Structure formats: structure tokens, C-alpha cells
């Protein structure tokens, strides 16, 4: 038979699926995949359930229900002072991963160059390559994950079409500073390039830090597509409701891509998310404070067990260095070992690199109940104590 698609044939199953399946097989606590282990707000869930019974279950408008688009525009104004047209400046998608794909489809032609920052979410590269674009990778280095300005400037050139920016960043927990964003903005303006901004963790930023959308910087509103996620903001990751905000001329193209991907998104979930985005400020600050407390709990426990830890200023994850434990295994082998033997799953950070990754970091999710985090730490401690000294 004739060969199938080469790129997809060479693309393995995502590391999140692999490690979650391994965790299930061994009865492990899953600190690998980033999903909470509790339901989201009861009023939002109830609104979704009620909306199923209101006899409006047929196709909603292609780019989203008017009430959700208005809520997205209002949230942009409320949190960041952004002026987004609620009719033509918002497109609702079936999750942020589809939003990323639709944005890249809207902007890229074969041969265009895309600047990407490693470590990076594992969807970015395959989607970009399927569109025929060329990656220009720039690497942040631990432990501080500072923006390497000379390397970033060198990655831009005459064929640069866009930068794909993730802030707050998965897996590092880095939140880009205003100074770093200003440097990025200067490069985009100098090279007449766009930015696709993956900001799904925008409300999961801890008190010592502030999330600043690149779109808010001078001259950037016309160049940016900003992606948000109800799954992360409301701890309802299975709903897969995302939204793209930006200039109408670009959002129109995102909608054209969206119509050839999923076409539309469940209307009852859209109505519930519109309710959620109008929640009072206390909801969003409490969400961040709760996650910060869980980050602190897991970080202190990992340090107590002998892991090194890197600062996480936002998101769901903390990066742990296995080097101080003195074991010969690399991160992939270590992640499999603790899943099978200790009953705790994590993600090897090497999975977030295209080539030549560091091999001694694990990503642990702290978006779990405190008792679950404590049990995971207990299991790791018991396993480490039973191992022979190096």
C-alpha cells in the first residue's frame, strides 16, 4: 500500500498520554498530566447542565455564541485594558490546542519561518511542520529561564512570519517580564512579524508576579493573536473551550481555519463559560492563591526528599532536578521508574525539546488536592529510602 503521511507517521503518541496510561496501569498518583482532581465551580457546571435542556442544542454560530464572545471581550478589557471587538475580534474554538492550530493556519504559508522558545508544548512543532513552516528554535536555560536576547534576535530574519509565545510558560512556570516582552515587541516590529500568544495560564499567576499580555504593549495589538482557555481558568480541562482575541482582519482568518477543523463548539459549554468569565475578582485571586499554596507544599516536600527545584511563577507545574539524588537514570527512565515502583507519575522535561535536551529534570503537576500531594510525597520518600545508597 502507498505510504501514509510521513510527518504523522514519525510523530509518536504524546508523552502525556503515555505517562497517564502508565500511571493507570500501575495505580500511580498522576502528577504528570496537568488536570485538577476536583470539579470546577458548581455554578458553572450547573449552568452547562441547565443549558442542555433549553432546546438550543443545534449548531451555534461558527465563531461562537454572542454571549461568550462578549464575555471574552469584556474580560480582555477588565483584566488588561484591551479593546477587543466582541463581534469580529473573538473566535471561540474547541480548546486552546485547536486555537493554536487555527492561528498558525491563519498566518503561515509554506516556507515561512516561526521562532519558537524551548522548552515548548509538544503540539507546536508538529502543527507548524504540517503547514510547511520552518522552525527557528531559541532555548531558555535553567535555573532562571531568562530570555537569551542575542540568540532570540539572531533567530529573526527576512522570512520570519511569527513568534509563538507561551506565557505563563509550560513546563517551566516562567512568566515573561515587561522588559522581556518589550524586547520581543521590538523584534516583531523590526521584522514586520506576528505573534501567536498562548496564554492559557493567564489567571494562574502567583502573587509575586504579574501576567502581561504581549498584545498590551505599544504597537502590538495589530500583530498579536491572544489565546485563552476555559479549561485552565475554571479547572474544567475536559470541556475544551478556548478563545482567540485579536484584530478583526486576523481573527476572520482564524475563523476560516476553525471552520475546517471543528467548525463550532458545544453551545451549552459556551454559555456556562460566559457566566464564568463574569465572576468577581475574588474567584480569580482565590484560584491563584490556592494553586500557590499547593505549589509551596509540593516544592517543600520535593526539597525535603533531596530533589532540586526551580522557581515556578505561574501555571500548574514545578520543575524538579533529579541530579542531587545521585542516580544514573536520565529523566525519561527516572519518570518511568517512579511511576512503576513508587506509584507517582511525572513528565520528563526532555519531552519539551526538539533535540539535545537536558536529561535531568522532571515536571510535577501541583494542581491536585493537598492530601494527594502529601500521599505522592510519602510514596516517593518510601521508595527513595528503600533504595541502596549510591
Amino acid at each position: 500500500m502507498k505510504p501514509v503521511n510521513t510527518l504523522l507517521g514519525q510523530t509518536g503518541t504524546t508523552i502525556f498520554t503515555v505517562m497517564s496510561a502508565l500511571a493507570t496501569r500501575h495505580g500511580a498518583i498522576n502528577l504528570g498530566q496537568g488536570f485538577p482532581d476536583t470539579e470546577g465551580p458548581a455554578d458553572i457546571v450547573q449552568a452547562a447542565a441547565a443549558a442542555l435542556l433549553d432546546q438550543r442544542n443545534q449548531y451555534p454560530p461558527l465563531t461562537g455564541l454572542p454571549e461568550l464572545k462578549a464575555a471574552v471581550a469584556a474580560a480582555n478589557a477588565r483584566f488588561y485594558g484591551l479593546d477587543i471587538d466582541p463581534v469580529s475580534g473573538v473566535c471561540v474554538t474547541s480548546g486552546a490546542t485547536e486555537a493554536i492550530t487555527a492561528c498558525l493556519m491563519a498566518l503561515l504559508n509554506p516556507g515561512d519561518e516561526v521562532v519558537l522558545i524551548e522548552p515548548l508544548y509538544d503540539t507546536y512543532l508538529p502543527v507548524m511542520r504540517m503547514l510547511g513552516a520552518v522552525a527557528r528554535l531559541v532555548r531558555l536555560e535553567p535555573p532562571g529561564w531568562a530570555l537569551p536576547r542575542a540568540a532570540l534576535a539572531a533567530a529573526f530574519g527576512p522570512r520570519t512570519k511569527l513568534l509563538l509565545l507561551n506565557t505563563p510558560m509550560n513546563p517551566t512556570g516562567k512568566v515573561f517580564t515587561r522588559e522581556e516582552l518589550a524586547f520581543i515587541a521590538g523584534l516583531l516590529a523590526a521584522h514586520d512579524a506576528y505573534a501567536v500568544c498562548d496564554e492559557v495560564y493567564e489567571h494562574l499567576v502567583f502573587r509575586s508576579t504579574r501576567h502581561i499580555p504581549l498584545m498590551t504593549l505599544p504597537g502590538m495589538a495589530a500583530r498579536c493573536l491572544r489565546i485563552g482557555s476555559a479549561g485552565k481558568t475554571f479547572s474544567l480541562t475536559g470541556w475544551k473551550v478556548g478563545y482567540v482575541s485579536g484584530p478583526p482582519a486576523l481573527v476572520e482568518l482564524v475563523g476560516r481555519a476553525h471552520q475546517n477543523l471543528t467548525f463550532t463548539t458545544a453551545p451549552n459549554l459556551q454559555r456556562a463559560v460566559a457566566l464564568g468569565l463574569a465572576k468577581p475578582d475574588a474567584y480569580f485571586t482565590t484560584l491563584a492563591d490556592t494553586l500557590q499554596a499547593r505549589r509551596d507544599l509540593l516544592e517543600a516536600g520535593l526539597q525535603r526528599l533531596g530533589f532540586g527545584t526551580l522557581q515556578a511563577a505561574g501555571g500548574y507545574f514545578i520543575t524538579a532536578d533529579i541530579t542531587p539524588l545521585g542516580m544514573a537514570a536520565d529523566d525519561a527512565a527516572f519518570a518511568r521508574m517512579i511511576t512503576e515502583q513508587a506509584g507517582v507519575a511525572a513528565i520528563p522535561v526532555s519531552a519539551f525539546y526538539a533535540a539535545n535536551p537536558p536529561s535531568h529534570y522532571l515536571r510535577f503537576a501541583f494542581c491536585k488536592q493537598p492530601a494527594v500531594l502529601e500521599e505522592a510525597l510519602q510514596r516517593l520518600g518510601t521508595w527513595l529510602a528503600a533504595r541502596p545508597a549510591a
Side-chain angles (χ1 to χ4, degrees):
M1 297 178 70
K2 291 181 179 179
V4 296
N5 179 272
T6 302
L7 178 60
L8 289 178
Q10 295 172 348
T11 301
T13 304
T14 173
I15 187 66
F16 312 112
T17 299
V18 171
M19 294 308 298
S20 288
L22 192 66
T24 299
R25 192 178 314 138
H26 292 277
I29 295 172
N30 191 350
L31 302 188
Q33 196 165 7
F35 59 87
D37 56 358
T38 54
E39 278 293 290
D43 58 342
I44 300 178
V45 175
Q46 181 57 46
L52 283 172
L53 303 175
D54 68 1
Q55 300 184 2
R56 290 185 291 171
N57 289 301
Q58 306 310 320
Y59 293 126
L62 165 66
T63 59
L65 288 173
E67 52 261 56
L68 178 52
K69 294 173 69 173
V72 171
N76 273 292
R78 170 186 171 191
F79 292 110
Y80 310 116
L82 287 167
D83 183 14
I84 300 295
D85 188 313
V87 176
S88 58
V90 177
C91 181
V92 178
T93 60
S94 294
T97 299
E98 193 224 333
I100 293 162
T101 301
C103 289
L104 294 178
M105 289 174 67
L107 296 174
L108 292 175
N109 290 311
D112 286 342
E113 294 185 358
V114 178
V115 178
L116 300 138
I117 299 175
E118 289 185 308
L120 44 72
Y121 183 54
D122 68 342
T123 294
Y124 296 166
L125 274 173
V127 170
M128 185 211 72
R129 287 170 174 162
M130 282 192 284
L131 295 171
V134 178
R136 294 289 179 244
L137 295 165
V138 177
R139 182 171 294 195
L140 306 186
E141 297 293 346
W145 308 114
L147 185 70
R149 300 190 181 198
L152 185 65
F156 278 75
R159 296 191 65 84
T160 302
K161 176 62 75 69
L162 64 87
L163 166 77
L164 182 45
L165 179 66
N166 179 207
T167 183
M169 193 178 186
N170 175 15
T172 66
K174 174 183 174 64
V175 179
F176 284 77
T177 66
R178 180 174 292 279
E179 291 73 23
E180 290 173 326
L181 294 172
F183 184 79
I184 290 169
L187 291 173
L188 295 174
H191 292 274
D192 190 23
Y194 299 100
V196 173
C197 303
D198 179 354
E199 301 180 19
V200 300
Y201 297 101
E202 61 182 318
H203 294 296
L204 313 183
V205 174
F206 308 137
R207 290 225 167 173
S208 60
T209 313
R210 181 185 170 208
H211 170 60
I212 303 169
L214 179 63
M215 187 182 283
T216 62
L217 272 64
M220 289 297 104
R223 297 187 179 276
C224 293
L225 289 168
R226 198 176 88 80
I227 297 167
S229 166
K232 298 301 191 295
T233 299
F234 301 112
S235 303
L236 294 164
T237 58
W239 281 20
K240 299 299 292 178
V241 178
Y243 21 87
V244 180
S245 306
L250 299 185
V251 173
E252 180 184 5
L253 295 175
V254 173
R256 293 181 191 177
H258 171 59
Q259 75 180 354
N260 290 299
L261 291 168
T262 62
F263 183 74
T264 191
T265 300
N268 68 310
L269 301 183
Q270 291 193 53
R271 293 189 179 98
V273 172
L275 173 74
L277 287 172
K279 276 183 168 294
D281 290 354
Y283 167 78
F284 299 94
T285 55
T286 299
L287 173 68
D289 289 348
T290 298
L291 280 169
Q292 181 170 345
R294 296 180 185 187
R295 177 206 64 179
D296 294 347
L297 186 162
L298 183 59
E299 181 174 40
L302 290 171
Q303 290 175 351
R304 188 171 63 248
L305 295 176
F307 291 86
T309 60
L310 280 60
Q311 182 183 20
Y316 275 169
F317 311 108
I318 192 164
T319 302
D321 186 353
I322 63 175
T323 305
L325 299 176
M327 297 185 190
D330 64 16
D331 62 346
F334 194 93
R336 180 172 287 273
M337 191 161 48
I338 62 172
T339 304
E340 296 174 344
Q341 299 176 14
V344 179
I347 298 292
V349 171
S350 58
F352 296 89
Y353 292 82
N356 303 314
S359 60
H360 52 97
Y361 292 108
L362 297 180
R363 191 194 78 171
F364 288 93
F366 50 78
C367 51
K368 312 292 181 180
Q369 298 176 75
V372 173
L373 298 176
E374 294 280 14
E375 172 63 20
L377 291 167
Q378 178 63 44
R379 291 185 184 190
L380 286 170
T382 299
W383 177 74
L384 286 167
R387 294 184 62 78

